[in-house]
Amino acid sequence: MNQPTQIELLFDNPVTGTNQYGEYYLYAVRNGDGSTEYSLFAPPEVHQVLKEHRKGDVLTITKLAEKDGSKVITKFDIKKVSSNDTPIIDSDRYFSAMLNSYEDAMRIQEKLNGLVDVNRIAITLFIARSRVGNFNYGG
């Protein structure tokens, strides 16, 4: 929740079907470091975005939770990082991670009415995202 996750689509189309819960959309994805493959059962709103992308496209998905009174509302933020015809090089990944860290830090500052130092938060987020073995590109 509220943590960006980078994925790479491994096929052009999901496996679809229906079960007792309704229609499902099963995507094969690789995680951001490129080492582990997962099955992603995409909610309909995520499927609507993913179906527009192709094998090899790299995206960042963030599940966001917002409070509306006593009710918690979840939304998904999906951003394209690269397409299958444009490989990502490490410098692009670090640039993206730093940019996303500053964007997140500014959102935190806004949420806390300016009571925090954006630079310190951004650097902390960047360090956490860029640790070896735990590289999270943000998004």
Side-chain angles (χ1 to χ4, degrees), residues 2-3 7-8 10 16-17 33-34 36 43-44 48 52 55 60 64 67 69 82 85 102 114 126 129 136:
N2 297 323
Q3 291 292 325
I7 62 166
E8 175 187 350
L10 298 179
T16 59
D33 67 10
T36 310
Q48 291 301 316
E52 302 299 323
K55 175 182 176 180
T60 299
L64 304 169
K67 200 159 187 169
S82 75
D85 58 352
Y102 267 97
F126 178 77
R129 288 174 172 161
N136 187 333

Short mmCIF file of all heavy atoms in Angstrom, two decimals, residues 2-3 7-8 10 16-17 33-34 36 43-44 48 52 55 60 64 67 69 82 85 102 114 126 129 136:
data_model
loop_
_atom_site.label_atom_id
_atom_site.label_comp_id
_atom_site.label_asym_id
_atom_site.label_seq_id
_atom_site.Cartn_x
_atom_site.Cartn_y
_atom_site.Cartn_z
N ASN A 2 0.61 2.16 -0.88
CA ASN A 2 1.34 3.43 -1.02
C ASN A 2 2.83 3.24 -1.31
O ASN A 2 3.62 4.14 -1.06
CB ASN A 2 1.14 4.31 0.23
CG ASN A 2 -0.30 4.70 0.42
OD1 ASN A 2 -1.01 4.96 -0.55
ND2 ASN A 2 -0.74 4.74 1.65
N GLN A 3 3.21 2.08 -1.81
CA GLN A 3 4.59 1.81 -2.20
C GLN A 3 4.63 1.50 -3.69
O GLN A 3 3.97 0.56 -4.14
CB GLN A 3 5.16 0.60 -1.43
CG GLN A 3 5.38 0.86 0.02
CD GLN A 3 6.50 1.85 0.26
OE1 GLN A 3 7.48 1.90 -0.46
NE2 GLN A 3 6.34 2.67 1.28
N ILE A 7 7.04 -3.17 -12.57
CA ILE A 7 6.83 -4.46 -13.22
C ILE A 7 7.15 -4.36 -14.70
O ILE A 7 7.11 -3.28 -15.28
CB ILE A 7 5.37 -4.96 -13.05
CG1 ILE A 7 4.39 -4.00 -13.71
CG2 ILE A 7 5.05 -5.20 -11.59
CD1 ILE A 7 3.00 -4.56 -13.89
N GLU A 8 7.46 -5.51 -15.29
CA GLU A 8 7.63 -5.62 -16.72
C GLU A 8 6.63 -6.66 -17.20
O GLU A 8 6.55 -7.76 -16.65
CB GLU A 8 9.05 -6.09 -17.08
CG GLU A 8 9.24 -6.33 -18.55
CD GLU A 8 10.60 -6.94 -18.88
OE1 GLU A 8 11.46 -6.99 -17.98
OE2 GLU A 8 10.78 -7.37 -20.03
N LEU A 10 5.25 -9.60 -19.32
CA LEU A 10 5.92 -10.70 -20.01
C LEU A 10 5.15 -11.21 -21.22
O LEU A 10 5.69 -11.96 -22.03
CB LEU A 10 6.16 -11.85 -19.02
CG LEU A 10 7.07 -11.50 -17.84
CD1 LEU A 10 7.22 -12.69 -16.90
CD2 LEU A 10 8.43 -11.05 -18.34
N THR A 16 -7.59 -14.58 -19.24
CA THR A 16 -8.85 -14.11 -18.67
C THR A 16 -9.77 -15.29 -18.43
O THR A 16 -9.63 -16.35 -19.04
CB THR A 16 -9.56 -13.10 -19.60
OG1 THR A 16 -9.81 -13.74 -20.85
CG2 THR A 16 -8.71 -11.87 -19.81
N GLY A 17 -10.70 -15.09 -17.54
CA GLY A 17 -11.65 -16.14 -17.23
C GLY A 17 -12.67 -15.62 -16.24
O GLY A 17 -12.67 -14.44 -15.88
N ASP A 33 13.62 -5.54 -10.37
CA ASP A 33 15.04 -5.89 -10.51
C ASP A 33 15.27 -6.92 -11.59
O ASP A 33 16.40 -7.29 -11.88
CB ASP A 33 15.64 -6.34 -9.17
CG ASP A 33 15.07 -7.66 -8.68
OD1 ASP A 33 14.36 -8.35 -9.43
OD2 ASP A 33 15.34 -8.01 -7.52
N GLY A 34 14.18 -7.40 -12.21
CA GLY A 34 14.29 -8.32 -13.33
C GLY A 34 14.58 -9.76 -12.96
O GLY A 34 14.83 -10.58 -13.83
N THR A 36 12.63 -11.87 -10.63
CA THR A 36 11.55 -12.72 -10.17
C THR A 36 10.30 -12.49 -11.00
O THR A 36 9.93 -11.35 -11.27
CB THR A 36 11.23 -12.43 -8.68
OG1 THR A 36 12.43 -12.46 -7.93
CG2 THR A 36 10.26 -13.46 -8.13
N PRO A 43 -7.03 -5.93 -10.80
CA PRO A 43 -8.41 -5.45 -10.65
C PRO A 43 -8.85 -4.81 -11.98
O PRO A 43 -8.00 -4.39 -12.78
CB PRO A 43 -8.31 -4.39 -9.55
CG PRO A 43 -7.02 -4.63 -8.87
CD PRO A 43 -6.12 -5.28 -9.87
N PRO A 44 -10.14 -4.70 -12.22
CA PRO A 44 -10.62 -4.15 -13.50
C PRO A 44 -10.01 -2.79 -13.86
O PRO A 44 -9.66 -2.57 -15.02
CB PRO A 44 -12.13 -4.04 -13.30
CG PRO A 44 -12.46 -5.09 -12.30
CD PRO A 44 -11.27 -5.14 -11.38
N GLN A 48 -7.72 -2.13 -17.23
CA GLN A 48 -8.04 -1.14 -18.25
C GLN A 48 -6.79 -0.39 -18.73
O GLN A 48 -6.70 -0.03 -19.89
CB GLN A 48 -9.09 -0.14 -17.73
CG GLN A 48 -10.46 -0.74 -17.54
CD GLN A 48 -11.01 -1.33 -18.82
OE1 GLN A 48 -10.93 -0.74 -19.90
NE2 GLN A 48 -11.56 -2.53 -18.72
N GLU A 52 -3.55 -1.74 -22.54
CA GLU A 52 -3.06 -0.82 -23.56
C GLU A 52 -1.54 -0.97 -23.79
O GLU A 52 -0.99 -0.33 -24.67
CB GLU A 52 -3.37 0.63 -23.17
CG GLU A 52 -4.83 0.91 -22.96
CD GLU A 52 -5.67 0.67 -24.22
OE1 GLU A 52 -5.19 0.97 -25.33
OE2 GLU A 52 -6.80 0.16 -24.08
N LYS A 55 4.06 -6.61 -24.27
CA LYS A 55 5.18 -7.37 -23.71
C LYS A 55 6.46 -6.51 -23.73
O LYS A 55 6.76 -5.86 -24.72
CB LYS A 55 5.39 -8.63 -24.56
CG LYS A 55 6.59 -9.45 -24.15
CD LYS A 55 6.75 -10.65 -25.06
CE LYS A 55 8.00 -11.42 -24.71
NZ LYS A 55 8.18 -12.58 -25.57
N THR A 60 5.19 1.33 -13.45
CA THR A 60 5.20 1.43 -12.00
C THR A 60 3.76 1.52 -11.53
O THR A 60 3.00 2.36 -12.00
CB THR A 60 5.98 2.68 -11.53
OG1 THR A 60 7.32 2.57 -11.98
CG2 THR A 60 5.98 2.78 -10.02
N LEU A 64 -2.86 3.24 -3.87
CA LEU A 64 -3.00 4.36 -2.96
C LEU A 64 -4.23 4.19 -2.09
O LEU A 64 -5.28 3.77 -2.57
CB LEU A 64 -3.12 5.66 -3.74
CG LEU A 64 -1.97 5.96 -4.73
CD1 LEU A 64 -2.34 7.12 -5.62
CD2 LEU A 64 -0.70 6.24 -3.97
N LYS A 67 -8.39 8.30 2.87
CA LYS A 67 -9.49 8.24 3.82
C LYS A 67 -10.55 9.27 3.43
O LYS A 67 -10.24 10.43 3.20
CB LYS A 67 -8.98 8.50 5.24
CG LYS A 67 -9.90 7.99 6.28
CD LYS A 67 -9.19 7.81 7.58
CE LYS A 67 -10.16 7.12 8.50
NZ LYS A 67 -9.63 6.64 9.69
N GLY A 69 -13.72 10.38 5.22
CA GLY A 69 -14.50 10.22 6.43
C GLY A 69 -14.03 8.98 7.16
O GLY A 69 -12.86 8.83 7.48
N SER A 82 9.04 2.65 -19.31
CA SER A 82 9.66 2.48 -20.62
C SER A 82 8.82 1.53 -21.44
O SER A 82 7.98 0.80 -20.92
CB SER A 82 11.09 1.94 -20.50
OG SER A 82 11.06 0.57 -20.17
N ASP A 85 10.69 -1.15 -26.77
CA ASP A 85 11.68 -0.76 -27.76
C ASP A 85 12.70 0.24 -27.23
O ASP A 85 13.58 0.67 -27.93
CB ASP A 85 11.00 -0.20 -29.01
CG ASP A 85 10.11 0.99 -28.71
OD1 ASP A 85 9.90 1.29 -27.53
OD2 ASP A 85 9.62 1.61 -29.67
N TYR A 102 11.62 12.94 -4.86
CA TYR A 102 11.29 14.35 -4.61
C TYR A 102 9.78 14.59 -4.74
O TYR A 102 9.20 15.33 -3.94
CB TYR A 102 12.06 15.28 -5.54
CG TYR A 102 13.35 15.75 -4.92
CD1 TYR A 102 14.55 15.13 -5.21
CD2 TYR A 102 13.36 16.80 -4.02
CE1 TYR A 102 15.73 15.53 -4.62
CE2 TYR A 102 14.53 17.22 -3.41
CZ TYR A 102 15.71 16.59 -3.72
OH TYR A 102 16.87 17.00 -3.12
N GLY A 114 3.82 21.65 5.46
CA GLY A 114 5.14 22.27 5.41
C GLY A 114 6.02 22.05 6.62
O GLY A 114 7.02 22.74 6.79
N PHE A 126 15.20 8.16 -1.58
CA PHE A 126 16.09 7.71 -2.64
C PHE A 126 17.05 6.63 -2.15
O PHE A 126 17.24 5.61 -2.81
CB PHE A 126 16.89 8.88 -3.21
CG PHE A 126 17.87 8.46 -4.28
CD1 PHE A 126 17.43 8.16 -5.55
CD2 PHE A 126 19.22 8.35 -3.99
CE1 PHE A 126 18.32 7.76 -6.53
CE2 PHE A 126 20.12 7.95 -4.95
CZ PHE A 126 19.67 7.65 -6.23
N ARG A 129 15.20 3.42 -1.74
CA ARG A 129 14.82 2.82 -3.03
C ARG A 129 16.02 2.29 -3.80
O ARG A 129 15.86 1.41 -4.64
CB ARG A 129 14.11 3.88 -3.88
CG ARG A 129 12.73 4.19 -3.37
CD ARG A 129 12.09 5.31 -4.13
NE ARG A 129 10.71 5.44 -3.71
CZ ARG A 129 9.98 6.52 -3.89
NH1 ARG A 129 10.48 7.57 -4.50
NH2 ARG A 129 8.73 6.54 -3.47
N ASN A 136 14.06 0.00 -5.79
CA ASN A 136 12.68 0.34 -6.14
C ASN A 136 12.74 1.67 -6.85
O ASN A 136 13.21 2.64 -6.30
CB ASN A 136 11.83 0.42 -4.87
CG ASN A 136 10.39 0.60 -5.19
OD1 ASN A 136 10.04 1.14 -6.23
ND2 ASN A 136 9.54 0.15 -4.29
#
